[in-house]
Amino acid sequence: MAVFVYAENINGVYKKAALEAVSYAKAIADQAGDTVTAISVNPTDSSDVLYKYGASNVINIKDEGLKNFSAKAFAQAVNEVADGNTIVFPHTTDASSLAPMLAVMKNYSLITNVLEAPESLSPFQVKRRAFSGKGFMHAKAEGNGVIITVSQNAFGVKESAVSGSEEVKNLSVANEDTKVISHEQSSGKLDLKEAEIVVSAGRGMKGPENWGMIEDLANVLGAATACSKPVSDIGWRPHTEHVGQTGKAISPNLYIAVGISGAIQHLAGVNSSKTIVVINNDAEAPFFKSADYGVVGDAFQIIPALTEKIKAIKG
Amino acid sequence: MKILVCISSVPDTTSKINFTADKSAFDKNGIQWVINPLDEFALTKAVKLQETQGATVTVINVGDAATEPVIRKALAIGANDAVRVNLDPKDSYSTAKEIAAVAQNGGYDLILCGKESIDYNGGSVPGMVAQLLNQPFVNASVGLDVNGSEATAVREIEGGKETISVKLPAVIAGQKGLVDEKDLIIPNMRGIMSARTKPLQVVEPASSEVKVQGVSYDSVPPRAAVKMVSPDNLDELVRLLHEEAKVI
């Protein structure tokens, strides 16, 4: 069973989610007694990065036509080189866009949002996130080939160095249906889904002008910032920061919720966080029932004080 | 312009999720059903295009007769007509095949859907439909304009946004931002009354090939009891995060 993995890069640099997908592919390959082949499109990073996590073959697709992302064109390119019956993707926006197209092209089963190493390889069976984090599904693939997308921060990045070799494939995939007009990337901001620590706030912050202290706390922790649905609905924070059932589902190591009461829809998006801290002035806030640590009190006093204390221990 | 909007009937967002005693299926007892919230953004966008560009909007749902109230709600929001494929959906692939089969004959310029359903969270149907129809696909769309045979879509990317022009026909999967939450249409009495007489066509499934089976389901295990820390003792919180949870 040859295991292939799509190593997604951003501006040529491998994403953490790609390294996690390679780690996952390596775990499957070890179980099956096989090797991992990573596929990347126009990377600038060295393949050594992928060897470190267990890919012993790296196929670098070089194609000027794939400079910009198009789900259809990328799926065609991956289809040309992925010559195995197991293909692993990270569950990023781009990878989870091209994986369904590839599944149809190859006539393979597709299991998305995978959380753990497979329970069985033949038939392929694995635990996945379902019901927006309110439940789990054990999904079994029918047929001969399977494509999976690995939920970010679920399996973890695991080093497993191998010696590897690289192959360059020059393709020229037709990419005529879509054209990128503009591309805005906010620099220096941590990606919410990849972040290991997330500081999030809700209506308890009383207004967007008070978010500075949330950002200060996030900065000392090296964290991304997020918000509850009402906050993004009012326009205090952008939609991209909304975590919850209809926003983003995240799984950081530490989730700090400030002034968020903890509606069931919000919990759905964050309850797979490994540690949850809730800070709220309402001792009856339902979120405390789902937290590991809780502080009842005034966020406007607690957050600056906590920021100073964390700054002190971080030296 | 003809638009097809794919809608899924899902448990209301406030639902507690339970599974049957043998854990083999989702327990539907006591569940209120709603249009998948992400599909609602797509439907509202389609109705806006109907108002501004004279588009006709057809909604499609793959589901048994129990989903009809949700389809009627979509008609009350403003869709012109509806198609229900009479199949209790088993996986993303079988659902996508049915949508593609209907779309194939319908000559739609644009297929709109939510980027995933909030129940099974496959996020796979839109991309599969696009591939089955050999059409371009834009996922996670947070903005859309249509101009003749081209659309301009804004899609969310990690840490930013990208604006893309797309040749129609195409499949666009939307999310919050495609329209603002405040612009979602709440059906009024006139809409509800007219929905009763709008055409709802029921078609039998074209195929029933399933590629993924849900073997069993688990609930989320409860967390250990919360440890409360006094706001006057934040050193203790920092110590717990550092030494006990080892997360900072």
Side-chain angles (χ1 to χ4, degrees), chain B residues 93-113:
Chain B
Y93 182 71
S94 55
T95 306
K97 283 271 270 198
E98 297 307 329
I99 294 170
V102 170
Q104 194 94 56
N105 301 320
Y108 297 98
D109 303 289
L110 185 60
I111 299 178
L112 287 175
C113 19

Side-chain angles (χ1 to χ4, degrees), chain B residues 1-3 49 52-55 107-111 144-152 165-170 172:
Chain B
M1 180 169 59
K2 288 180 73 178
I3 304 175
L49 290 168
T52 57
Q53 306 208 3
Y108 297 98
D109 303 289
L110 185 60
I111 299 178
L144 178 66
D145 283 312
V146 178
N147 188 2
S149 62
E150 256 190 22
T152 305
S165 74
V166 193
K167 279 192 184 150
L168 299 180
I172 312 265

Side-chain angles (χ1 to χ4, degrees), chain A residues 8 10 15 68-69 71-72 91-94 96-97 100-101 103-105 107-113 125 127-142 152 176-186 191 197 221 229 232-233 239-240 242 245-246 248 253-254 264-265 270-277 279 288 290-297 302 305-306 309-310 313-314, chain B residues 11-17 19 26 37-38 41 90 92-93 115-132 134-140 152 155-167 175-177 179-182 209-221 223-231 233-235 237-238 240-242 244-245 247-248:
Chain A
E8 184 173 333
I10 185 159
K15 300 184 72 165
N68 293 310
F69 181 77
K72 195 174 161 190
H91 193 76
T92 56
T93 306
D94 284 1
S96 58
S97 306
M101 302 192 93
V104 171
M105 286 176 190
N107 199 22
Y108 284 1
S109 304
L110 172 64
I111 303 179
T112 58
N113 262 317
Q125 186 172 313
K127 182 177 174 180
R128 64 180 295 274
R129 187 195 306 273
F131 298 95
S132 300
K134 295 187 213 169
F136 304 108
M137 174 186 187
H138 298 266
K140 184 176 81 171
E142 305 283 336
Q152 284 169 261
E176 294 155 351
D177 298 330
T178 56
K179 201 170 90 197
V180 172
I181 299 169
S182 68
H183 186 99
E184 299 162 38
Q185 195 99 35
S186 35
D191 180 47
I197 303 179
L221 286 166
K229 181 173 182 289
S232 75
D233 286 350
H239 296 316
T240 49
H242 163 204
Q245 196 163 18
T246 52
K248 290 192 170 74
N253 286 333
L254 172 60
I264 190 167
Q265 298 97 327
V270 303
N271 65 8
S272 53
S273 307
K274 287 168 194 85
T275 300
I276 295 178
V277 175
I279 298 167
F288 285 117
S290 306
D292 298 287
Y293 305 109
V295 184
V296 177
I302 292 169
L306 183 61
K309 289 189 189 298
I310 291 172
I313 68 154
K314 293 229 164 194
Chain B
D12 175 70
T13 59
T14 58
S15 302
K16 287 213 162 114
I17 299 299
F19 301 108
F26 168 59
L38 301 172
F41 292 112
K90 293 287 181 251
S92 303
Y93 182 71
K115 71 165 185 172
E116 66 177 5
S117 66
I118 62 161
D119 49 4
Y120 292 91
N121 302 110
S124 315
V125 170
M128 287 180 170
V129 169
Q131 186 56 41
L132 288 164
N134 193 28
Q135 290 182 7
F137 171 49
V138 179
N139 202 4
T152 305
R155 74 177 186 109
E156 191 182 311
I157 53 173
E158 276 84 5
K161 280 179 186 173
E162 197 169 75
T163 305
I164 310 161
S165 74
V166 193
K167 279 192 184 150
Q175 59 181 26
K176 187 176 177 179
V179 294
D180 278 342
E181 184 90 12
K182 64 176 170 37
E209 190 187 353
V210 169
K211 292 213 171 280
V212 176
Q213 299 271 6
V215 176
S216 63
Y217 297 84
D218 296 327
S219 300
V220 177
R223 277 178 195 268
V226 59
K227 282 189 185 169
M228 298 306 290
V229 178
S230 161
N233 191 9
L234 294 175
D235 286 322
L237 178 63
V238 174
L240 287 166
L241 293 176
H242 185 60
E244 189 177 82
V247 286
I248 60 170

